[in-house]
Amino acid sequence: MIDQIHHGDCLDILSQIPNGTVNLVYLDPPFFTQKKQTLKSRKLVTYEFDDKWDSMADYIAYLKLRLIAIKEVMADNATVFVHCDRNASHYIRVMLDEVFGYDRFLSEIIWAYRRWSNSRKNLLPAHQTIYMYSKSDRYTFNTIYTDYSASTNVDQILQRRERNKHGKTVYATDDDNNVILNGPKKGVPLSDTWDIPYLNPKAKERTGYPTQKPLLLLERIIQLSSNPDNIVLDPFCGSGTTCVAATLLNRRYIGIDTSHDAVELSRARIGNPIRSDSSLLKKGRASYENLPDEVQSILNTLPVKPVQRNSGIDAIHDRFVDGRPIVIRVQRDGERLEDGANHLKQAGEKKNAILMILIRRHQDVQQTTFFNLIPPEVTVIDSIDGIIDDIIESHLHTES
Amino acid sequence: MIDQIHHGDCLDILSQIPNGTVNLVYLDPPFFTQKKQTLKSRKLVTYEFDDKWDSMADYIAYLKLRLIAIKEVMADNATVFVHCDRNASHYIRVMLDEVFGYDRFLSEIIWAYRRWSNSRKNLLPAHQTIYMYSKSDRYTFNTIYTDYSASTNVDQILQRRERNKHGKTVYATDDDNNVILNGPKKGVPLSDTWDIPYLNPKAKERTGYPTQKPLLLLERIIQLSSNPDNIVLDPFCGSGTTCVAATLLNRRYIGIDTSHDAVELSRARIGNPIRSDSSLLKKGRASYENLPDEVQSILNTLPVKPVQRNSGIDAIHDRFVDGRPIVIRVQRDGERLEDGANHLKQAGEKKNAILMILIRRHQDVQQTTFFNLIPPEVTVIDSIDGIIDDIIESHLHTES
DNA sequence: TATAGTATTGAATCCGAGC
DNA sequence: CGCTCGGATTCAATACTAT
């Protein structure tokens, strides 16, 4: 059974797993989109709550049957993570209360991400929910410490890595098989709100399977609630992310899926696990935020769109002239005015800007700026801070 | 009824509100902490599921009765926001489905915040949930736009895109292969996951209202789902944050609370026109909270100390001349320059200011300002925003 | 009025150019 | 050759349009 992907309904496969042997269960059940559609269309016709309940009840009954079976195979120290979205999360959790008990609820994990879309009639859905329940109060829990802000430095979240005798990269453990955490500072204990980027459409990690989850999400779950050589079960394994993560973290896995294609895909992935070389994950979100505080605070006073990924332009003004943009740059600490102006000019011309505005924050230390060094395309204006300083200075001079 | 805080059970007060007149409801019902604790201790001894259900059912029945009454007073375009935490959110949402209908669900808003706590054998709870339901599908919704992600590149904001013959999305070009610009964009629609700082725990202790919510949270909700002069109802208004936010945003309010102290506190907070009840606010950065956002953001760029409780002066500059202060005021929306200048002059003279600086944010609508109306003691300088607008205008004129 | 097809869009990647 | 910078691309969730 172990370290295999099984094809079939998990209800059948689960009965072949010895009771009390699984240490961690993660499940990402199907959402029954068609059913919900019919539910919706039926609702639009009848608008009767009981009708909806009937349909939702079917879905919940299907899940409940499988969760009861899952509970059987769970060890005494085991934890279960149920992944759902806003459509049915509340009914799922009521059912989980029934199966595991209200007091066995541990956490409502929010997986928050940013996503593309153009929703206009509603708030953009940008999170999914993972319910965490235990079988008993003797569950495994490894506290993970994070840096102050979420997803800034994933290396600190992850454990230390080393090479084993076969040359494979594995997570380091001490003699007692306890994980070794990375770094001397423990940091802040992980909260129940996880800012993990959505698997990007361009990511190599993508397999083409629709509901594929990021490896980091599963790695975090597995680290949190299992130890090396523990058995991790995913009864709806889909593209196999859970099993890949378990392998990478030296856990053993049992994967199950009803789709033959999913089983094939999972098997292939475990043989050749590809981890996306995501610079966002590697360097953290903060590394993309290039604008210094003093620049950002000036931009905050203006009707502009800040630009982080351009070294010459800090922002684009909300007003356009003849369809052409007005680009803005704020002088940096220690930056000579002419250097800032040339940066801005180069970048602004590429974007076909109609106006390029440089906000001067300070006088050059050596007073080397001559205005003939400033390109004529660039308009220089003073920051309020600078103007006030000038007023104070001129006041001092008139007084003396 | 309107613009008042009422004392009593909302079930009674609601019956006095005419049906279909309320445009927005926010409620932050009590969590029955004692009940839950007895529930929990009882559970620890008996661990009986039915016991818990009975108790939870009482709580839900209490809420359901009130939500049915709330639905009655809601206008056709109204929206309701129900604030809850992980303890009962699922049961509350099931009940909301029953009262408003599964299809009237709009969003599950996650309010995420960071806070300190000692790590137990658990993830640190750091979010609360707000369910958003409408009465009909003709609900009011004003999209709020936010900044683009730091990882977004400029070209996407600037360039027009289209689909080529293969259905791929590509950047549009004209016949000469030059890129076509897109014109101004609005930004990213607000998502359902809100990262808003929690109130200072010390402030909680002082007020004795542990559930006090940040103003920003309520302001966002009110902006999102109501228009000026609409009626905002909070049936469990506590310290009155909802009513304060409604007042600040020119909405009308109805507040209800069973606690006499809460009603008194709410009335006091609303009676104070600006957010200056220092006993309710943390010190330091929060002192900016008395000031409108547009004033606050400008002061943030300057080396100044913000001033509270002074209608003429917004801040005092860090530099002093001959031991005398330099006082600063930022022109308000819709405020005539001469009015602002006179305010500043009066207040500044009392403080023996050596310089009084008024930052002009906009031209007077009727161009009635003559500079001889500005007191000579006051120095007027333009905000960067205004200077840029002038540059754009003069550019337009030289072109034509 | 229900359904199918089309347009729009932002996040974060991949990848090429330049140093 | 390895790095950084920035331009191009993918794709799912929406709204919108046509049938």
Side-chain angles (χ1 to χ4, degrees):
Chain A
M1 295 301 298
I2 293 169
D3 286 344
Q4 281 177 25
I5 310 289
H6 303 270
H7 179 219
D9 187 333
C10 61
L11 199 56
D12 304 325
I13 311 286
L14 281 165
S15 63
Q16 303 165 30
I17 301 174
N19 280 357
T21 56
V22 168
N23 305 99
L24 168 65
V25 186
Y26 166 84
L27 64 157
D28 181 22
F31 294 134
F32 291 100
T33 331
Q34 296 133 320
K35 252 195 176 177
K36 256 180 5 209
Q37 294 284 344
T38 58
L39 169 88
K40 207 170 186 178
S41 61
R42 204 195 301 172
K43 282 276 298 170
L44 281 171
V45 178
T46 63
Y47 199 73
E48 211 165 302
F49 184 71
D50 277 8
D51 254 24
K52 183 177 63 58
W53 256 99
D54 281 335
S55 181
M56 181 64 83
D58 283 353
Y59 172 64
I60 294 297
Y62 169 92
L63 275 186
K64 187 171 183 176
L65 212 57
R66 279 146 189 85
L67 273 149
I68 291 168
I70 285 166
K71 194 184 175 190
E72 289 299 308
V73 301
M74 281 167 72
D76 188 51
N77 66 359
T79 314
V80 61
F81 293 78
V82 184
H83 195 130
C84 39
D85 79 352
R86 65 194 183 286
N87 289 302
S89 59
H90 46 324
Y91 296 106
I92 288 176
R93 191 174 156 200
V94 169
M95 179 270 288
L96 289 170
D97 275 357
E98 289 165 15
V99 174
F100 290 92
Y102 180 86
D103 279 6
R104 293 281 82 80
F105 167 79
L106 291 176
S107 284
E108 178 182 68
I109 299 166
I110 302 297
W111 170 33
Y113 46 83
R114 291 171 151 261
R115 212 205 47 198
W116 53 92
S117 191
N118 63 339
S119 165
R120 244 164 246 154
K121 264 293 225 182
N122 218 334
L123 296 168
L124 201 60
H127 76 272
Q128 288 174 20
T129 307
I130 304 169
Y131 290 117
M132 180 181 178
Y133 279 72
S134 65
K135 188 167 181 180
S136 74
D137 56 3
R138 292 170 296 281
Y139 55 94
T140 303
F141 187 86
N142 308 312
T143 306
I144 294 179
Y145 294 94
T146 65
D147 226 8
Y148 178 68
S149 56
S151 98
T152 27
N153 194 347
V154 171
D155 285 347
Q156 280 208 348
I157 299 165
L158 296 177
Q159 300 155 19
R160 186 189 299 167
R161 284 172 167 228
E162 63 183 16
R163 280 180 192 277
N164 66 9
K165 44 208 163 197
H166 306 297
K168 262 192 183 175
T169 305
V170 297
Y171 285 98
T173 53
D174 64 16
D175 295 333
D176 295 321
N177 239 6
N178 297 317
V179 295
I180 301 173
L181 288 173
N182 221 0
K185 287 178 292 181
K186 287 211 291 187
V188 182
L190 187 65
S191 87
D192 62 3
T193 312
W194 298 356
D195 183 6
I196 294 178
Y198 198 84
L199 202 55
N200 194 268
K202 288 284 284 181
K204 273 185 179 168
E205 191 176 310
R206 263 184 190 267
T207 60
Y209 199 83
T211 57
Q212 192 182 340
K213 300 292 176 295
L215 256 176
L216 179 64
L217 184 76
L218 272 302
E219 285 179 328
R220 200 178 265 188
I221 287 171
I222 290 171
Q223 279 177 23
L224 208 54
S225 293
S226 75
N227 293 312
D229 296 323
N230 278 180
I231 295 174
V232 176
L233 166 68
D234 187 344
F236 299 90
C237 73
S239 60
T241 308
T242 309
C243 303
V244 171
T247 307
L248 288 171
L249 292 165
N250 290 325
R251 271 71 166 177
R252 314 194 69 185
Y253 64 84
I254 300 172
I256 307 169
D257 207 288
T258 54
S259 152
H260 188 70
D261 290 342
V263 171
E264 287 294 303
L265 176 60
S266 294
R267 286 174 182 159
R269 261 186 98 191
I270 292 161
N272 183 23
I274 292 175
R275 182 200 216 88
S276 218
D277 188 24
S278 157
S279 63
L280 181 68
L281 282 182
K282 223 162 44 177
K283 296 190 222 158
R285 199 177 288 286
S287 74
Y288 277 85
E289 275 146 24
N290 290 317
L291 298 175
D293 285 348
E294 64 274 14
V295 173
Q296 189 70 58
S297 65
I298 288 180
L299 295 179
N300 284 343
T301 71
L302 304 176
V304 299
K305 301 272 172 286
V307 164
Q308 305 276 358
R309 283 194 53 195
N310 191 296
S311 60
I313 299 168
D314 291 333
I316 297 167
H317 200 276
D318 284 349
R319 286 184 68 177
F320 279 59
V321 176
D322 298 334
R324 294 170 63 190
I326 298 160
V327 296
I328 307 214
R329 180 185 176 83
V330 179
Q331 186 185 24
R332 296 292 190 278
D333 280 339
E335 180 185 65
R336 288 197 309 177
L337 198 65
E338 61 204 74
D339 294 340
N342 285 320
H343 259 105
L344 177 61
K345 187 195 165 210
Q346 266 198 319
E349 278 175 349
K350 270 194 194 164
K351 303 298 172 203
N352 198 23
I354 196 158
L355 273 172
M356 309 177 196
I357 295 175
L358 176 63
I359 298 168
R360 173 162 67 180
R361 286 181 49 241
H362 53 81
Q363 303 287 338
D364 285 351
V365 183
Q366 299 178 294
Q367 297 283 357
T368 51
T369 300
F370 299 99
F371 263 80
N372 54 9
L373 291 175
I374 305 295
E377 296 89 347
V378 173
T379 309
V380 176
I381 64 180
D382 284 310
S383 69
I384 298 182
D385 188 16
I387 296 172
I388 291 177
D389 277 348
D390 288 346
I391 293 171
I392 296 171
E393 290 306 323
S394 71
H395 183 86
L396 289 173
H397 287 132
T398 50
E399 259 198 342
S400 62
Chain B
M1 294 300 299
I2 294 170
D3 286 343
Q4 281 178 25
I5 309 288
H6 304 271
H7 179 220
D9 187 333
C10 60
L11 198 56
D12 304 325
I13 312 285
L14 282 165
S15 64
Q16 302 166 30
I17 300 174
N19 281 357
T21 56
V22 169
N23 305 99
L24 168 64
V25 186
Y26 166 85
L27 65 156
D28 181 23
F31 294 132
F32 289 102
T33 331
Q34 296 139 319
K35 251 195 178 176
K36 258 188 345 206
Q37 255 151 36
T38 56
L39 168 89
K40 204 168 187 178
S41 62
R42 203 197 302 171
K43 285 273 300 169
L44 281 171
V45 177
T46 63
Y47 194 71
E48 215 165 294
F49 183 71
D50 280 5
D51 254 23
K52 181 178 61 61
W53 254 97
D54 283 335
S55 185
M56 181 62 82
D58 283 352
Y59 173 61
I60 294 297
Y62 169 91
L63 275 186
K64 186 171 183 176
L65 212 55
R66 279 146 190 85
L67 273 148
I68 290 167
I70 285 166
K71 192 184 176 190
E72 287 298 309
V73 302
M74 281 167 71
D76 187 52
N77 65 359
T79 314
V80 60
F81 293 78
V82 184
H83 195 130
C84 37
D85 77 354
R86 66 193 182 288
N87 290 302
S89 59
H90 46 323
Y91 297 105
I92 289 176
R93 192 173 156 201
V94 168
M95 178 271 289
L96 288 170
D97 276 356
E98 288 165 16
V99 174
F100 290 93
Y102 181 86
D103 282 3
R104 291 283 82 80
F105 167 79
L106 291 177
S107 285
E108 179 182 67
I109 298 167
I110 302 297
W111 169 34
Y113 46 85
R114 276 184 266 281
R115 65 190 188 92
W116 281 104
S117 176
N118 37 350
S119 61
R120 289 173 300 131
K121 215 177 151 185
N122 217 336
L123 294 168
L124 192 62
H127 76 270
Q128 288 176 19
T129 306
I130 303 169
Y131 290 117
M132 180 181 177
Y133 279 71
S134 65
K135 188 168 183 180
S136 74
D137 56 4
R138 293 169 295 279
Y139 56 94
T140 302
F141 188 84
N142 308 311
T143 306
I144 294 177
Y145 293 95
T146 59
D147 280 350
Y148 288 88
S149 166
S151 51
T152 303
N153 45 22
V154 206
D155 308 274
Q156 282 193 87
I157 303 171
L158 287 176
Q159 289 175 224
R160 183 183 301 166
R161 299 160 81 196
E162 63 187 16
R163 272 174 196 275
N164 67 9
K165 46 206 162 202
H166 305 298
K168 279 185 182 177
T169 306
V170 293
Y171 287 128
T173 52
D174 63 15
D175 295 336
D176 298 327
N177 232 14
N178 298 316
V179 296
I180 303 172
L181 294 176
N182 199 53
K185 282 202 178 186
K186 290 176 192 163
V188 186
L190 187 67
S191 88
D192 62 3
T193 312
W194 299 355
D195 194 353
I196 295 177
Y198 203 81
L199 268 183
N200 191 325
K202 277 182 184 168
K204 269 195 286 181
E205 282 171 39
R206 247 184 258 157
T207 60
Y209 285 95
T211 59
Q212 188 184 340
K213 300 297 176 289
L215 253 180
L216 181 58
L217 185 77
L218 272 302
E219 286 177 329
R220 198 177 267 189
I221 286 171
I222 289 172
Q223 271 173 356
L224 212 51
S225 294
S226 74
N227 294 313
D229 296 324
N230 277 179
I231 296 173
V232 176
L233 166 68
D234 187 342
F236 299 91
C237 72
S239 58
T241 310
T242 309
C243 303
V244 171
T247 306
L248 288 170
L249 292 166
N250 293 320
R251 271 71 167 175
R252 315 193 68 184
Y253 64 84
I254 300 173
I256 306 169
D257 206 287
T258 54
S259 151
H260 189 71
D261 290 344
V263 170
E264 286 295 302
L265 178 58
S266 295
R267 285 176 183 160
R269 275 184 86 191
I270 295 160
N272 216 334
I274 44 175
R275 302 176 243 184
S276 60
D277 195 337
S278 60
S279 69
L280 292 170
L281 295 169
K282 52 185 173 166
K283 287 182 185 168
R285 232 181 31 174
S287 52
Y288 280 116
E289 286 176 16
N290 303 336
L291 301 168
D293 287 345
E294 62 276 9
V295 173
Q296 183 186 322
S297 61
I298 288 178
L299 294 179
N300 268 334
T301 70
L302 304 176
V304 298
K305 301 274 176 288
V307 170
Q308 298 180 61
R309 296 169 182 270
N310 190 307
S311 62
I313 300 168
D314 290 331
I316 294 171
H317 200 276
D318 286 350
R319 286 184 69 177
F320 280 65
V321 176
D322 300 333
R324 293 170 63 190
I326 298 160
V327 296
I328 296 179
R329 180 186 176 81
V330 180
Q331 186 184 22
R332 297 293 190 278
D333 278 339
E335 181 185 66
R336 288 196 310 176
L337 197 65
E338 61 204 73
D339 294 340
N342 285 322
H343 262 106
L344 177 61
K345 188 195 165 209
Q346 268 197 318
E349 279 175 347
K350 274 190 195 159
K351 306 289 176 210
N352 195 25
I354 194 157
L355 273 172
M356 308 177 197
I357 294 174
L358 177 62
I359 298 169
R360 173 163 67 182
R361 287 182 46 242
H362 53 81
Q363 304 286 340
D364 286 350
V365 183
Q366 299 176 294
Q367 299 281 358
T368 51
T369 300
F370 299 100
F371 264 80
N372 53 10
L373 292 177
I374 305 295
E377 297 88 347
V378 172
T379 309
V380 176
I381 64 181
D382 283 313
S383 68
I384 301 181
D385 187 14
I387 297 172
I388 291 176
D389 276 347
D390 289 345
I391 292 170
I392 296 170
E393 290 306 323
S394 70
H395 181 86
L396 289 173
H397 287 131
T398 50
E399 256 198 344
S400 60

